Amino acid sequence: DGGITQSPKYLFRKEGQNVTLSCEQNLNHDAMYWYRQDPGQGLRLIYYSQIVNDFQKGDIAEGYSVSREKKESFPLTVTSAQKNPTAFYLCASSITGQAPYEQYFGPGTRLTVT
Amino acid sequence: LAKTTQPISMDSYEGQEVNITCSHNNIATNDYITWYQQFPSQGPRFIIQGYKTKVTNEVASLFIPADRKSSTLSLPRVSLSDTAVYYCLVGDFNTDKLIFGTGTRLQVFP
């Protein structure tokens, strides 16, 4: 059963701690993405990767870091430098190079930092 | 990336057809138009994508006029389960990042 998994669904951390959110896909997609969503808002792009061992900053990359060592995995680390980390985080993946350009989203991780 | 403008919210009743229009005056030649649906606390789900004229699938239709400066998502005979936020995105998705605006919040009443 192909898809994207994110874990955990809910995550609680104390301020000042780094935390890593997991994202795994078995769709054989080349591209993967991380978004952040705040209440009542649209999604904002944090980082994206179109190929293994390469990634680019999105619109709000400050305070976040990623790695893409395997095609299937694109973990996101929320560092202590991120001033307002409490949000809903969504991972997505897509094929590249042909229409339809559809992104498949995971179920999301809700991070709460106190 | 072309900026999109869509209504903040819409109300409808079960069984009615709903049309959500998106304005994208600065659409470029290589840009596609895509609509996503999002339920609370879930990731967005792809609904439909088009380049020009009309596209139809099992859940929706997408109407794109010749100048491509706007597009209309049509949902036939909506049900309560269609209550969600609908996002219009425009871009050359082969190379561009996706930009999600605040979307249109559709509320369907019984």
Side-chain angles (χ1 to χ4, degrees), chain A residues 32-35 44-49 55-62 64-66 74 76:
Chain A
M32 296 187 75
Y33 312 81
W34 273 106
Y35 294 90
R44 292 185 290 168
L45 183 64
I46 304 173
Y47 269 98
Y48 65 105
S49 167
F55 48 83
Q56 287 78 41
K57 293 181 179 179
D59 300 316
I60 55 164
E62 185 175 348
Y64 299 98
S65 65
V66 294
F74 192 41
L76 173 75

Side-chain angles (χ1 to χ4, degrees), chain B residues 13 21 34 43 47 49 52 59 71 73-74 78 86 90 94 98:
Chain B
Y13 291 94
T21 296
T34 310
I47 301 174
Q49 185 178 86
K52 61 181 179 180
V59 299
S71 59
L73 175 73
S74 180
V78 294
Y86 293 82
V90 172
N94 191 34
L98 287 188

Side-chain angles (χ1 to χ4, degrees), chain A residues 7-101:
Chain A
S7 61
K9 189 169 179 63
Y10 298 96
L11 192 54
F12 299 89
R13 281 293 183 271
K14 295 289 187 186
E15 197 172 319
Q17 293 179 333
N18 291 355
V19 58
T20 297
L21 281 59
S22 167
C23 178
E24 304 278 334
Q25 56 99 358
N26 60 4
L27 300 167
N28 199 33
H29 287 169
D30 288 312
M32 296 187 75
Y33 312 81
W34 273 106
Y35 294 90
R36 168 187 172 132
Q37 187 171 36
D38 293 288
Q41 302 298 312
L43 284 70
R44 292 185 290 168
L45 183 64
I46 304 173
Y47 269 98
Y48 65 105
S49 167
Q50 294 192 307
I51 196 169
V52 174
N53 292 323
D54 187 43
F55 48 83
Q56 287 78 41
K57 293 181 179 179
D59 300 316
I60 55 164
E62 185 175 348
Y64 299 98
S65 65
V66 294
S67 63
R68 187 86 188 277
E69 298 175 2
K70 298 187 300 182
K71 187 175 186 178
E72 306 80 25
S73 179
F74 192 41
L76 173 75
T77 297
V78 184
T79 75
S80 57
Q82 169 48 233
K83 296 191 187 322
N84 297 297
T86 294
F88 187 47
Y89 290 88
L90 287 158
C91 178
S93 72
S94 69
I95 59 173
T96 57
Q98 64 183 73
Y101 302 112

